Amino acid sequence: MAADAAADEDNQPRQSTMPPVAKEQREHHGKDAPPGFVPRMSAEDVSAVEAVLGYAFADKSLVEQALTHGSFYYPYRPGETYERLEYLGDGVLTCLMSREVFRTYRTLPPGPLTRLRAANVDKEKLARVAVARGLDRFLRHKAPQLEGQIHVFIEEMCMYPVHSNGLLDPPKVLSDIVESLIGAIYFDSNFNQEEAWRVFRNLADPLISLETLGKHPVSELFEFCQKTRRGVKIVKDEWDKNLKVEVLIDGELAGSATYAQKKEIAQNRAAKAALDKLKEIMGQCQTESVSTDVSEPLDRLDLAGTIKYQ
């Protein structure tokens, strides 16, 4: 009987742990707000988030918590943020995606399984989910630069309409709120994995499959050059001065990129530019010499696209 009572208690809707706020107080914000006051998320916004997720929360305060960045409390004493729910959601998504790829690809070895799992829950994939579903509109924060960073990411998504494998640098907060919302659903549903997976599967559709899984541009460049017996050198010593990274193939400039925020992104874009140029040259050579073995023209081809004769 005691166990049944405990089970029944677990299945009851959780009561909100956040104190009620009078309606007239909700209009106060910034310097006119009473000391320590933090505005609540409106019922309309909570309902809108639930509609996007396709899930009705028993404890509505979890929606607010899952979308509250630490900066939102400034200049008052910090309160609850999405960090704990993000931690929970991160673990849940890793487990559920591991299960999904393991079930879907019955004979695939651990290496490709790991890459598939990672691609579907990495920062870029989850950030794309947040933007595509409009969840970023409900983020509660006061970080001065954050809106601009999100805007830049949305613009750059147009340049890379599918997962870029390291060519974009999405603001971490976007992936954080997807993880925190999944964590909130997992907690609110009494740790129901299937409910958390149902919501995420709909949000993240389409998942990255083995057929659509791309390669990291630096890895692909080195593999390509190894097969075609070319030397690769990535020059990034000058990034601190001019924000540029260059890629040299057999001592010749093959690609370069400039990116101010992160050296790694500049390196990845430079590698992609060099790789695209090599592939273009290879295509031109194959067109001009259809009957010639593919490996031969690649070895004899310079970066201007002409055949080098010995």
Side-chain angles (χ1 to χ4, degrees), residues 203-221:
L203 288 177
D205 186 63
L207 294 175
I208 296 172
S209 66
L210 191 60
E211 293 73 28
T212 59
L213 179 65
K215 287 185 178 181
H216 191 280
V218 175
S219 300
E220 188 176 1
L221 175 65

Side-chain angles (χ1 to χ4, degrees), residues 191-208:
F191 306 102
N192 186 330
Q193 289 189 357
E194 300 310 319
E195 189 66 5
W197 174 248
R198 179 190 67 79
V199 173
F200 179 72
R201 184 66 182 82
N202 289 335
L203 288 177
D205 186 63
L207 294 175
I208 296 172

Side-chain angles (χ1 to χ4, degrees), residues 128 156-163:
R128 286 177 178 273
E156 291 190 333
M157 278 178 59
C158 298
M159 298 166 52
Y160 304 97
V162 296
H163 195 290

Side-chain angles (χ1 to χ4, degrees), residues 47-83:
S47 296
V49 172
E50 289 180 322
V52 171
L53 299 176
Y55 178 85
F57 282 84
D59 183 354
K60 307 294 185 183
S61 72
L62 288 171
V63 180
E64 181 175 313
Q65 183 181 340
L67 291 164
T68 302
H69 187 261
S71 66
F72 187 72
Y73 293 99
Y74 181 81
Y76 306 121
R77 182 170 58 86
E80 286 188 315
T81 69
Y82 63 58
E83 290 181 349

